[in-house]
Structure formats: C-alpha cells, structure tokens
Amino acid sequence: MKKLLLALATTTAVIGFAAAAGAQEKAKICFVYVGSKTDGGWTQAHDIGRQQVEKELGDKVETQFLENVPEGPDAERAIERLARSGCGLIFTTSFGFMDATVKIAQKFPDVKFEHATGYKTAPNVATYNSRFYEGRYIQGQIAAKMSQKGVAGYIASFPIPEVVMGINSFVIGARSVNPDFKIKVVWANTWFDPGKEADAAKALIDQGVDILTQHTDTTAPMQVAAERGIKAFGQASDMIAAGPQTQLTAIVDTWGAYYVKRAQAFLDGKWETTSSWDGLKDGILTMAPYTNMPDDVKAMAEATEAKIKSGELKPFTGPLNKQDGAAWLKEGESSDDATLLGMNFYVEGVDDKLPQ
Amino acid sequence: MGIVEAILLSVITAATPLVLAAAGELVAERSGVLNLGVEGMMIMGAVCAFAATQLSGSPYIGVLAGIAAGALFSLLFGFLTLTLVANQVATGLALTLLGLGVSGMLGESFLGMQGIKLQPIAIPLLSQVPFVGPLLFRQDAIFYLSIAIVAGIHWFLFRTRSGLKLRAVGDSHGSAHALGVDVIRTRYLAVLFGGACAGLAGAQLSLVYTPQWVENMSAGRGWIALALVVFASWRPWRVVAGGYLFGAVSISQLHAQAFGIGIPSQFLSSLPYVATIVVLILISHNRRMTLINTPASLGKPFVPDR
C-alpha cells in the first residue's frame, strides 16, 4: 500500500513537474544490497558510497536502496520494482545479482544498470570491480616480515576466482620477501558465520601460524587473534576496533568516488557501458593505516603501495609457476585480466589443495 | 598446551550452545510441544545478552538478560499455540523469522561495539589436575550451567513426580488431563524453560563464543539444536553426546584442512551432518526403543473442554 501511494505520489509529481515548464526533475539513483547496510563489511562499504553520492551531488539526485535482497529469483523482483519506480541508474552490488540484472535490463532499455564484480555487460549494463588483490600483495609482504615462524593462516570463504586470486596474490607478495614463506588455508565454506570463522582462526593458531588473514566478513577472526596475541589483517572495512593491538592493516572498500563519477556521467547524459576494474591508484580500495609494525616494515609497505599505484609493480608478474611447478608467466610478463577473473589454480608456494 | 587439548577446548566452546538449546527444546518436546522457534529465541537471547552487557558493564547481567529474553519470547509462542491453539509448526517458523528480524532492529545501535567476554572461573584444586583441569574446570559459568542443566533435566524427568507428569502430558495429553494434570500449565512451563535455555545459548554466542553482536550470528545453530533432540531420541545425556560429537567433527575438519591432508573442503564441511545421519541410522534400527522415547502427543494441539 505504501509502495502504491509512493508510486502515485511520484507520478503526480512527474506530471506536476512537466506542467511547470523548465522545472528540473531529480535523477533517482538506486542500490540493491545483498546484506544489511550496517553489516560492518561489504554492504556497509557500498552504503557509505551511496551516502557520498547524496552528499556530493546534493539536490540533483535522490537515492534509494533495498537491503537484504537474497540472490536468486527475489533479486529479479527487487530490481524490477526499482526500475518501475523511476530509478534511472541502478547499482546491483553482489556477484549473485548478475543474471537478474541482465534480464531486467533487457526489459527496461532506458534504465542504466551497473553490476558489481560480474562479467556480463549489455548496452545498458556496465560492470565494476575492485583490484582487491593489490592490497593482498602488500599484506603478504608485511606477513613475511612480521611472522616469526614463516607461516600465515588464511581463512577463505568459497573457492571462486576472486578468493583464489587473493590467496595467490598474498603468497606471491610474501614470497617476494621470504621465498620459503608458507600459508595454511582453511575453507570456511561461508561468508558469514562468526562462530565458524572464530573456530577456523583457533584451528590455524593451534597449528602454529602467527599471522592471520581472512576473506570472510566478520571481525571474529580478528578477535581471536587479539585474544591469542598474534597479528592479523582486516577485511572489507577497517577492523582496528576489534584488535587495536592486532590489526596490521586492512583492505578497505571505498566505492564512493566511483559511484559519484558514474552518477555524474548519468546526470550529464554521458553514461556509457563499461567494464571498470579499478585498483589502489583509483582509490576504489584503500589500505587502513599500517599499525602495530616496526617502521622499516611500514616503510616497505608504503613503498610497495606507491609502486602499485604508479603501475611500476603488478602483483601477477613473472617469473611465476603454477602450484605443480608448470611455468605460467615468463620473466617480466604480466597476467591478463581475463585469466585473473577466471582464476582456478594456485601459484607455486600455496600449501593447499584447491577444492574444485 | 598440546594440540589435542587445544582442539578439545574449541570443541567445548562450539558444542555448549548446541547442548543448551537442545536440552531446553527436549523438555518442551517431552511435554508434547514442538517449538521450531529455537533459532529465533537463541538470537533474541544473543542480542539482549550483548546489549545488557554493554549497558551494565557486567556480562553476568547479560547472561540473565539473555535467559529472560529467550523465556519472554517463548511466552509469545506459548500464548499462540497453547492458549489460542495455533498450529505449532507454523508458529514456530514465524517465531524464528520474527526473532531474526526483531534482533536485527534491537541490535542496530550495538553493531561494531567491542564485546565484553564472560571470563572463565577456575575451580580450586580441580583446575590443577593435569589435562582435565584446564579443559573442564577452567571454563566460563555458562559451560558449568550447561552440564548442570542437563543433569537437572535427567533427574527431573526420570526421578521426580512432576517429571513423570510432564512426560505423561507429552505421551497422552488426554489421559493426563483425565487424571487431573493441568496440561496447559505444564506445557507453558516446559515452553518457558525451553525458551530460557535457548536464550542462555544465545548469550553464550555473544558473550563467550564470539563476544560481539552481528545480525544473524546464530547462523543456523538453532536448527542443529532441533535436530540434536531427535538425534538424542529425547534422552538428556544423549544431547550432550550428540552436541559434542557434532562439535568435534566440525572442529576436526578445520584442523584437517589447516594440516593440509588434501581432502576437498566441501566434503569435510559436510562431515558433521554425515556423522549425524550415520548415528541416526544406527539408533533407528531399534525401532521399539525409539518409539518408547518419542513423545506420542508431540505437536498435537490440546483443547481441554473437548
């Protein structure tokens, strides 16, 4: 009923505006979230981006969002509802919304869509992603410097390319500092289960790792690391509050600048479909302050970050072998993006069997 | 600390909320009420325990708040199913959904706050015993309570007159009613007890297991607790065995992965469930024993005037 009233009100408003010649209509920018906007991680980062759009573009835009939208058929309905309610530009912020986005986009050719972390585009569907792996390379280097035992623990979620890419990048970074560095990987098979993530962290620490990194969503592993007195890296947002003496740094998702840029292009009528994959240099991810480490390690991390930003250093650059020792990249050769986005193999040095 | 000891410590933390919630549900089911709202009561307990701890500064106040929240929430279930005779399955499911929603709302202002952990209490002398001491006698109050509750339930159900009446209500509410037992009152008390235990399990999650509040942090543990009751064939000590078996398999599979034994992680993750099914098959081959323990009136509504 509320929705209906809202729709009626909008329609009336549009007619009203049309009557008053020259009055400008606000552009409506909409967001679909897979989680809660206060999840302290992935979705919250997107919502901060949405708020930035509101702040920077002021009264030229109006934003709207739907949270806790499950991936699957429900997503289609949610996206369609937004498209019908007059959204001009819709961001769908989870990998699992890919097919739903493309399908609804065919129905609404005049509405623009942007899908996060996917690979299917259309004339009115753009994709955008972030090179999280650049941050993981830096983390790997820090881990290799900070670890006494030369073994880090890695709590992974699901064996999808994004996660495998992160593990590889971490290991390549670590072995650029200490060629004998090892990691132990535990697959939690969930993005979100504080208890299980904590159990995985305990298991890894009990087996002797003294640095912890995670690709799951809650701060539980950070808490366990703090309790056991080892160091750890945060994920998706700055987790320093969960481990003031524990967090070395964190990869922080900062989508705001991208959202503002695309919304502005939309307002100017210059929006075009793109496949954007920005990195540290574009500010789509940032590193949380380097803390709890000696100055020389911090200096190294900052130097690496600067080199990645300038393009001097690309984490996936040869000579690199695959896990079984087969050659992958030659000296000086860098991996193309397509290989990274479909990554289904480990590089040399990962001491784990990739679940297929 | 040896690796075995470390694993066992993690197992105890993982199993305690399951044992608590399942023990409470067992009493409700023994009285003939099937409450599928365990997950909802648990998450309400978790959020209220966390909030009360933050506001008062004492995790013990938090524990009490968790118990109270679970019990109060179960009262809603009791009113709907016992007084208004609504369908138990549908009401239980609704309770779970409601609990997940309401807890998210209540907990919004507590997100990202640093939790206060319920500290272990070392029991004098016993905690000095090698191996067993640190494992069993240097634990938090909720662990001690969980064992005491199970022992209490066993004693109550099988050694007291009230327990006998409760079982009679669960087996044949008509006969119990004819004998003068107040069926509705008995069931209300059983449901309340179940809610309190689920609330305490929730408090364990947000004060001991992972001292923080995040939405949906129970992550399905209420459903596992429900399965454990069947697994235990409604016998209290078997709930402990089942809970610890489940916890042990879940923790060992993580260790197996970290150790790098090269078995696919998806398979390892499914092991706790596979183990549950195997034991269920082993138990159910003795059909007569199963039938004796199953409350015959389970899930059936009771209208006294009929």
Side-chain angles (χ1 to χ4, degrees):
Chain A
M1 194 59 206
K2 209 170 135 200
K3 289 274 160 354
L4 189 68
L5 281 178
L6 196 75
L8 273 177
T10 323
T11 322
T12 331
V14 170
I15 296 168
F17 275 123
Q24 210 191 352
E25 197 194 331
K26 274 189 181 182
K28 210 161 148 192
I29 317 279
C30 302
F31 294 80
V32 185
Y33 300 147
V34 69
S36 141
K37 71 177 181 357
T38 50
D39 67 353
W42 178 256
T43 295
Q44 189 166 344
H46 285 283
D47 197 62
I48 291 169
R50 178 190 66 84
Q51 290 166 20
Q52 196 176 334
V53 171
E54 280 207 329
K55 212 169 90 193
E56 292 192 18
L57 299 179
D59 45 359
K60 282 184 284 184
V61 296
E62 181 193 335
T63 68
Q64 199 188 339
F65 61 87
L66 290 176
E67 53 181 339
N68 290 318
V69 176
E71 298 175 341
D74 279 346
E76 249 175 61
R77 277 198 291 280
I79 300 167
E80 180 158 1
R81 214 165 79 197
L82 287 177
R84 280 196 197 286
S85 75
C87 295
L89 177 61
I90 301 176
F91 292 95
T92 55
T93 63
S94 181
F95 179 79
F97 294 154
M98 180 161 67
D99 291 329
T101 307
V102 172
K103 199 167 161 192
I104 301 301
Q106 282 170 349
K107 274 197 192 169
F108 295 88
D110 295 334
V111 178
K112 312 296 184 205
F113 294 85
E114 298 234 7
H115 176 239
T117 70
Y119 52 81
K120 288 184 185 168
T121 58
N124 61 336
V125 180
T127 58
Y128 62 104
N129 200 350
S130 172
R131 294 182 189 268
F132 303 113
Y133 69 86
E134 292 179 344
R136 294 200 186 271
Y137 181 87
I138 302 175
Q139 291 184 347
Q141 286 198 327
I142 297 171
K145 284 268 189 198
M146 295 295 293
S147 173
Q148 310 279 319
K149 299 177 181 168
V151 190
Y154 205 115
I155 303 169
S157 49
F158 292 101
I160 57 172
E162 175 69 44
V163 178
V164 177
M165 199 189 323
I167 296 173
N168 283 338
S169 190
F170 185 90
V171 168
I172 295 168
R175 289 169 84 97
S176 73
V177 172
N178 171 5
D180 296 324
F181 198 81
K182 285 199 171 60
I183 62 165
K184 287 181 181 291
V185 184
V186 166
W187 295 91
N189 283 310
T190 174
W191 285 108
F192 184 94
D193 180 341
K196 201 164 180 189
E197 290 169 51
D199 288 340
K202 288 178 199 162
L204 284 164
I205 298 170
D206 290 339
Q207 293 209 10
V209 312
D210 60 356
I211 300 266
L212 210 54
T213 189
Q214 64 181 97
H215 202 149
T216 50
D217 285 349
T218 78
T219 54
M222 180 69 72
Q223 256 184 345
V224 173
E227 210 178 284
R228 300 285 188 95
I230 67 159
K231 303 286 184 234
F233 297 103
Q235 156 74 7
S237 39
D238 194 340
M239 295 179 170
I240 190 83
Q245 265 88 57
T246 306
Q247 179 177 286
L248 293 162
T249 181
I251 298 169
V252 182
D253 306 352
T254 41
W255 304 100
Y258 178 80
Y259 285 154
V260 172
K261 184 174 84 184
R262 299 297 284 174
Q264 186 63 53
F266 175 75
L267 286 175
D268 299 342
K270 287 179 183 154
W271 189 95
E272 277 179 341
T273 180
T274 50
S275 294
S276 151
W277 198 16
D278 291 344
L280 278 170
K281 70 172 163 37
D282 314 280
I284 201 161
L285 74 149
T286 47
M287 302 305 285
Y290 298 109
T291 46
N292 299 313
M293 60 181 84
D295 288 342
D296 62 313
V297 180
K298 188 177 171 185
M300 174 205 70
E302 280 166 348
T304 305
E305 188 180 337
K307 274 190 207 161
I308 291 177
K309 280 181 177 164
S310 71
E312 189 188 335
L313 192 157
K314 290 196 169 76
F316 289 101
T317 300
L320 283 177
N321 292 338
K322 293 190 179 179
Q323 191 180 25
D324 56 8
W328 174 36
L329 294 171
K330 288 194 286 287
E331 176 88 43
E333 185 190 1
S334 290
S335 168
D336 57 88
D337 285 353
T339 310
L340 296 182
L341 288 170
M343 197 159 235
N344 59 357
F345 58 87
Y346 280 141
V347 295
E348 200 169 42
V350 183
D351 195 13
D352 179 51
K353 191 165 180 276
L354 183 61
Q356 294 286 357
Chain B
M1 192 168 61
I3 189 85
V4 176
E5 214 170 329
I7 293 177
L8 289 176
L9 265 178
S10 303
V11 171
I12 288 174
T13 315
T16 303
L18 301 177
V19 168
L20 274 170
E25 175 69 11
L26 182 141
V27 172
E29 292 193 11
R30 274 286 187 175
S31 83
V33 184
L34 180 66
N35 185 354
L36 295 183
V38 180
E39 179 88 2
M41 302 186 295
M42 204 179 203
I43 195 81
M44 286 300 287
V47 72
C48 291
F50 189 83
T53 304
Q54 292 294 324
L55 296 175
S56 69
S58 158
Y60 289 98
I61 305 278
V63 170
L64 293 178
I67 295 174
L72 263 178
F73 207 56
S74 72
L75 203 58
L76 176 65
F77 175 86
F79 178 70
L80 288 168
T81 58
L82 300 174
T83 305
L84 302 181
V85 205
N87 180 294
Q88 291 180 7
V89 171
T91 311
L93 290 173
L95 198 73
T96 288
L97 296 174
L98 183 71
L100 291 173
V102 170
S103 64
M105 206 173 68
L106 288 178
E108 187 144 5
S109 49
F110 294 96
L111 282 165
M113 278 193 185
Q114 278 321 292
I116 301 171
K117 191 168 182 163
L118 188 65
Q119 290 305 322
I121 304 167
I123 293 181
L125 294 178
L126 284 176
S127 61
Q128 305 301 325
V129 179
F131 192 74
V132 182
L135 274 183
L136 298 180
F137 301 107
R138 214 170 289 165
Q139 288 283 354
D140 55 90
I142 299 183
F143 165 76
Y144 299 135
L145 260 177
S146 74
I147 301 301
I149 284 174
V150 172
I153 291 173
H154 182 85
W155 173 78
F156 172 79
L157 284 180
F158 302 110
R159 297 278 182 279
T160 69
R161 189 170 286 268
S162 310
L164 182 66
K165 283 182 186 166
L166 184 138
R167 284 189 289 135
V169 167
D171 276 330
S172 167
H173 48 216
S175 319
H177 179 64
L179 285 171
V181 179
D182 190 337
V183 173
I184 300 295
R185 183 166 168 274
T186 309
R187 288 192 172 166
Y188 255 110
L189 291 173
V191 166
L192 267 176
F193 180 77
C197 287
L200 181 58
Q204 197 265 5
L205 293 181
S206 66
L207 298 177
V208 178
Y209 204 158
T210 50
Q212 54 174 297
W213 164 251
V214 277
E215 265 182 60
N216 294 342
M217 70 182 295
S218 50
R221 288 184 177 77
W223 298 108
I224 295 169
L226 269 166
L228 272 179
V229 179
V230 183
F231 178 95
S233 53
W234 294 270
R235 309 283 295 190
W237 286 110
R238 289 191 197 162
V239 162
V240 178
Y244 280 80
L245 174 72
F246 191 89
V249 181
S250 328
I251 302 293
S252 322
Q253 69 96 358
L254 293 171
H255 274 275
Q257 284 196 48
F259 197 66
I261 57 166
I263 293 171
S265 70
Q266 290 97 329
F267 173 72
L268 289 172
S269 290
S270 70
L271 270 185
Y273 306 93
V274 174
T276 310
I277 293 172
V278 169
V279 176
L280 273 178
I281 293 170
L282 291 180
I283 289 175
S284 67
H285 85 275
N286 192 343
R287 224 174 132 59
R288 212 171 131 260
M289 275 310 288
T290 318
L291 280 177
I292 286 172
N293 283 318
T294 311
S297 292
L298 185 60
K300 291 184 188 145
F302 176 69
V303 185
D305 298 343
R306 200 177 43 188

